[in-house]
């Protein structure tokens, strides 16, 4: 099994959805894994396993915020796309005569 240490911002959509399904209310202390990377830096991460990969997703305050607000942000994004597709792009025309001084 492949092990991947990754920041949540670099996850693809499929793994992001799995992350949200696995931790719908965020993660707790019991979900956190702590270790030192090859550079000796202290890392905290949460595990997320797919069929062939074990992701270690780096923890940050923004990850917790991302998980908590995911549904709200997705709903807003979908509404924006719907509004844009219904209204379509707008075009402004300048019909003034260019020869006027």
């Amino acid at each position: 099994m492949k092990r991947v240490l990754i920041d949540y911002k670099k996850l693809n959509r499929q793994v992001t959805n799995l992350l949200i399904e696995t931790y719908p209310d965020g993660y707790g202390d019991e979900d956190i894994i702590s270790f030192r990377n090859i550079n000796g830096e202290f890392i905290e991460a949460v595990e997320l396993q797919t069929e062939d990969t074990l992701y270690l997703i780096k923890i940050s305050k923004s990850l917790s915020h991302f998980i908590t607000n995911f549904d709200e942000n997705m709903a807003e994004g979908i509404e924006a796309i719907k509004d844009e597709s219904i209204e379509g792009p707008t075009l402004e025309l300048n019909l003034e005569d260019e020869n006027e001084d």
Side-chain angles (χ1 to χ4, degrees):
M1 178 172 286
K2 183 171 59 169
R3 291 176 60 126
V4 176
L5 176 62
I6 190 167
D7 189 276
Y8 81 92
K9 294 176 188 174
K10 296 181 181 179
L11 295 175
N12 64 34
R13 183 169 300 275
Q14 179 183 2
V15 177
T16 300
N17 288 335
L18 182 59
L19 175 68
I20 300 307
E21 289 172 14
T22 305
Y23 302 103
D25 298 319
Y27 52 86
D29 291 340
E30 66 279 359
D31 300 314
I32 298 172
I33 298 169
S34 302
F35 60 95
R36 293 199 182 274
N37 66 10
I38 59 174
N39 298 325
E41 300 168 326
F42 185 73
I43 304 290
E44 290 185 320
V46 292
E47 283 186 337
L48 186 64
Q49 189 169 344
T50 63
E51 291 179 12
D52 62 346
T53 306
L54 176 62
Y55 291 95
L56 298 174
I57 303 167
K58 292 180 190 178
I59 290 180
S60 65
K61 289 180 183 177
S62 54
L63 173 59
S64 179
H65 180 73
F66 172 77
I67 290 172
T68 304
N69 296 311
F70 182 78
D71 290 333
E72 180 180 315
N73 292 340
M74 287 301 292
E76 289 173 4
I78 290 169
E79 285 301 316
I81 291 169
K82 284 181 184 176
D83 291 345
E84 188 174 294
S85 64
I86 291 171
E87 294 175 10
T90 58
L91 177 65
E92 284 187 32
L93 298 175
N94 184 356
L95 300 176
E96 295 178 15
D97 187 4
E98 293 181 4
N99 295 328
E100 285 184 21
D101 287 320

